[in-house]
Each structure stands twice: as C-alpha cells, then as structure tokens.
Amino acid sequence: MRILCAFYMSFIFFTSIFPQHVLANESKSPLAPALYVMGDSLLDNGNNNPLPTLAKANYLPYGDNFARGSTGRFTNGRTVADFIAEFLGLPYSPPYISCLRRSSTLTGFNYASAAGGILPETGMYLGKCLYLGDQISLFEKTVNVDLARQFESSTKMRDYLSKSIFVISIGSNDYINNYLVPNIYDSSLSYSPQSFAKLLNDALFQQFQRLYELGARKVVMFELGPIGCIPEVTRQNKHSGKCVEEINQLVNLFNTQLRTTLATLTSTLQGSAFILAHLNGLEYDVIINFNAYGLTDSSNPCCITWLNGTSLCIPGSLPCRDADKHYFWDGFHPTEAIYSFLGRQCINDNKFCIPMSIKQLVQD
C-alpha cells in the first residue's frame, strides 16, 4: 500500500487520559515551518511498506482507530509525531519513501523505519530497513535536491531549516533486535553493557553532527523506554515482578549517557538545541501504576498476536474494543492513548522535555 504525499486529515478521538484539544494549535499559522521525523517503528508511518522486510504494519488491525486506516503506523491510531504535528499546526509528515510529491513538500517528511537502529546492522535479519545513517542520507537528499528547488537562496533555506522541528526516537532495536539476540548477533559477547551503551551514543553523536551540518538546529530526541516491560520481553524471559529489570538496566545505561551526549552537542554546536524527551521513568510509572492513569491493562497486547503475545498483530484479527484503556497495542508498541499522553508531556512540560518543552522550543 503506497501512501500518497498529502495532508493527512485527523479525526476526533478522545482518550481517558486527557482531552485532545490540549494539543491543538490555536493560532492560524504553523508554529514551525516543518516537522522532520526519524526513528524506528515507534514513529514509522509507512516507510517500510514498500521495503522487503517482515517489519510491516500496513494491514488491519493496525490503524483500527485511524481515519486513513492501516497506513503503516505500528499502533491503532496516531503516533507521538502526529500529535506534535497537530500542536505545531502542520500536516502529518508523510513517509519519504512512499511520497509522490517530494519536490513540492515544505512541511517536512518522515524517514522512520521499523526494525532500524542506530547501528547499520541492527534489525537486518528481518529484511531491509533504514538505520539512522540511511535516514539522514535521505534527509541530505531532501536538502540538496527537493528543498534546493524551493528556495531562492541558501540563506532562506538555512533559516527555514533552523526553525524546523526534528523529532527522533531510535535505539530500542539496537537492544531488542541486536544486543538481546545473541544467536544472531555477537554484540553482547563483544561489548559489556556499559561499552555497548557508549558505542551507541558515540554513533549517535556523529549522526547528529551530520544532521546539524545539514541545517538542523531544533532536535528532540526521545530516550529509550523500559523495554524490559514490553510483552515481547516479559513473556520470553524469567523474571519476578511486572518487568524484566535486568533489561531495563541495560536501557538505563544508554539513557544516562544520552543525556550527556545531547548536552554536549548543544554546548558545542552553535545555535543548536538538542532536547531530551525524558520518557523512561514516566512510562515505567504508567506501566506499574496503570490504574492511576485510567488504564485497565499494562501487560497484554490489545490485538491478537503470533507467538503468545510476543509479536505483531495477526492480519485481519479483531483487537480489543477498549484500546484506550490498554498500554500495549501489540507485543512491542503502545496504543494511541499512550502516544497522546507522551506527546502532551513533551509539548508542555520542561521537566519531561529537558531543558525546554516543545512549546518553548518553537518560541526560542
């Protein structure tokens, strides 16, 4: 299913967590000229559809609560990037690979690719996917070819890029589809948990420098969530309690270094703001204390999956009818209700998005 490059019409969908109008942009003009999105299946909205890979979500019940149906988003509705686009007053950033109107699109693209990671080899056993370096290379093509045709001067294009918002969520697959599958990758044998976290952060630092050189100035990077709590992990590993805490600790090593990585980039790259979306602790609290957040389930997938709830949704299967009360949509990914909640936090709260919220970032 090819996704046409067009204005993605949103629909009204209220969750029990908070009213959607909180995210709305009440001004008539966009708060930023464009939204560029990079990452993995948490943000992929169709780039993997035409790729030869097992990591696809372009079928029902994915998109069960989305106006355009199963677009390739790995959830029942909108992602965090979609909610941020709504706040900014921009159309949803179309998937770059499937977009048919690249040369005339100035409101941003989505380059995210399910199964992809920071490292080029991550997730490749599932088929073709775009790692972060590939995605930035596509953005480089966007700048040098697509955008170059739209601006009268390089000065105007640099100004446009400096005011655009870049949202990135990547790194989970470097654990789920790399470090934690020793039968396929030897990374866990070659690197200690601390050195692997450093490897990822060093690679991320270099890629973000590339992004800066291409004109990006306002970058929001989401830290890794508590992957030790996702059904794919909890149902395949022995553990006590709700989550596999040993795996959560691996992720925490990465997140601790990530905060330093982003702060260093901001201090060394003139005019830049690399924002940390500090979501891990909040997500963990929602999973553990789900009732306090209006949820009824934070352990089981909403849809029917293969392999006892540890995989993607079975095509054509009927999902639960109260998805907004569930944390997980499938064996890996949250429901729209959770994305909605996280989007609100990053837009409004400078204790969640550090050192400034997206609302402050667009005013900076």
Side-chain angles (χ1 to χ4, degrees):
M1 174 181 178
R2 294 184 63 82
I3 311 297
L4 298 181
C5 177
F7 187 96
Y8 286 69
M9 298 300 292
S10 63
F11 63 96
I12 298 176
F13 178 72
F14 293 94
T15 74
S16 63
I17 296 180
F18 69 97
Q20 299 298 304
H21 70 267
V22 173
L23 295 176
N25 172 16
E26 296 180 358
S27 66
K28 294 182 179 180
S29 59
L31 300 178
L35 173 64
Y36 289 95
V37 181
M38 298 177 184
D40 51 33
S41 57
L42 296 174
L43 296 179
D44 188 350
N45 66 349
N47 282 303
N48 270 28
N49 290 355
L51 297 180
T53 177
L54 297 175
K56 295 178 186 286
N58 57 340
Y59 59 87
L60 291 173
Y62 290 102
D64 186 61
N65 300 109
F66 192 66
R68 293 181 59 86
S70 52
T71 59
R73 290 166 169 82
F74 286 73
T75 186
N76 59 312
R78 291 163 286 183
T79 68
V80 166
D82 296 325
F83 286 108
I84 292 174
E86 290 178 7
F87 166 73
L88 295 174
L90 294 170
Y92 301 155
S93 303
Y96 183 84
I97 291 181
S98 302
C99 185
L100 303 181
R101 293 173 49 212
R102 296 173 188 156
S103 61
S104 60
T105 300
L106 286 174
T107 54
F109 289 107
N110 185 315
Y111 308 91
S113 177
I118 297 171
L119 301 179
E121 65 271 20
T122 288
M124 293 302 287
Y125 70 96
L126 294 171
K128 174 64 177 175
C129 60
L130 307 176
Y131 88 106
L132 182 59
D134 290 332
Q135 296 177 37
I136 294 178
S137 293
L138 290 178
F139 175 66
E140 182 176 17
K141 181 179 178 182
T142 300
V143 172
N144 294 334
V145 178
D146 302 320
L147 295 180
R149 298 171 179 170
Q150 301 294 312
F151 289 92
E152 299 175 356
S153 67
S154 58
T155 300
K156 290 184 178 181
M157 184 168 69
R158 283 196 300 270
D159 181 65
Y160 155 87
L161 289 170
S162 70
K163 295 176 181 177
S164 297
I165 304 297
F166 293 75
V167 172
I168 302 170
S169 178
I170 200 162
S172 294
N173 288 318
D174 293 292
Y175 288 94
I176 297 171
N177 291 324
N178 188 328
Y179 198 75
L180 295 175
V181 282
N183 57 317
I184 299 176
Y185 295 97
D186 64 359
S187 53
S188 61
L189 302 176
S190 302
Y191 298 95
S192 67
Q194 189 76 32
S195 61
F196 188 69
K198 185 177 186 304
L199 175 73
L200 295 180
N201 271 275
D202 288 347
L204 190 67
F205 190 95
Q206 294 177 357
Q207 295 296 349
F208 279 176
Q209 283 184 312
R210 284 184 62 200
L211 199 59
Y212 176 86
E213 291 167 0
L214 291 168
R217 294 296 182 268
K218 298 181 177 183
V219 180
V220 179
M221 171 68 182
F222 283 80
E223 68 180 8
L224 305 189
I227 63 175
C229 300
I230 66 176
E232 192 273 342
V233 171
T234 60
R235 297 185 179 205
Q236 296 192 78
N237 293 272
K238 293 182 179 180
H239 64 285
S240 59
K242 201 173 183 68
C243 305
V244 185
E245 298 301 348
E246 293 84 357
I247 292 178
N248 282 338
Q249 288 303 314
L250 294 178
V251 168
N252 289 339
L253 291 173
F254 172 86
N255 288 336
T256 297
Q257 294 186 31
L258 177 63
R259 188 164 188 166
T260 301
T261 296
L262 298 180
T264 302
L265 286 163
T266 300
S267 64
T268 57
L269 300 178
Q270 184 178 6
S272 69
F274 286 84
I275 307 301
L276 173 67
H278 188 47
L279 63 79
N280 184 285
L282 180 59
E283 281 194 299
Y284 185 80
D285 190 60
V286 174
I287 290 170
I288 299 299
N289 302 303
F290 58 94
N291 287 325
Y293 293 86
L295 302 178
T296 59
D297 191 305
S298 64
S299 301
N300 303 296
C302 175
C303 73
I304 302 172
T305 79
W306 307 107
L307 304 173
N308 186 36
T310 63
S311 66
L312 300 179
C313 301
I314 295 176
S317 61
L318 294 177
C320 64
R321 302 322 305 171
D322 57 346
D324 60 331
K325 299 289 187 179
H326 282 246
Y327 188 97
F328 292 105
W329 174 249
D330 58 18
F332 301 89
H333 308 97
T335 59
E336 180 191 57
I338 300 304
Y339 285 131
S340 174
F341 176 59
L342 296 176
R344 179 196 184 195
Q345 301 306 308
C346 196
I347 288 168
N348 294 300
D349 191 347
N350 63 3
K351 294 181 180 179
F352 180 84
C353 272
I354 304 168
M356 66 180 77
S357 67
I358 293 178
K359 184 178 293 185
Q360 294 169 321
L361 185 63
V362 296
Q363 297 171 350
D364 186 47

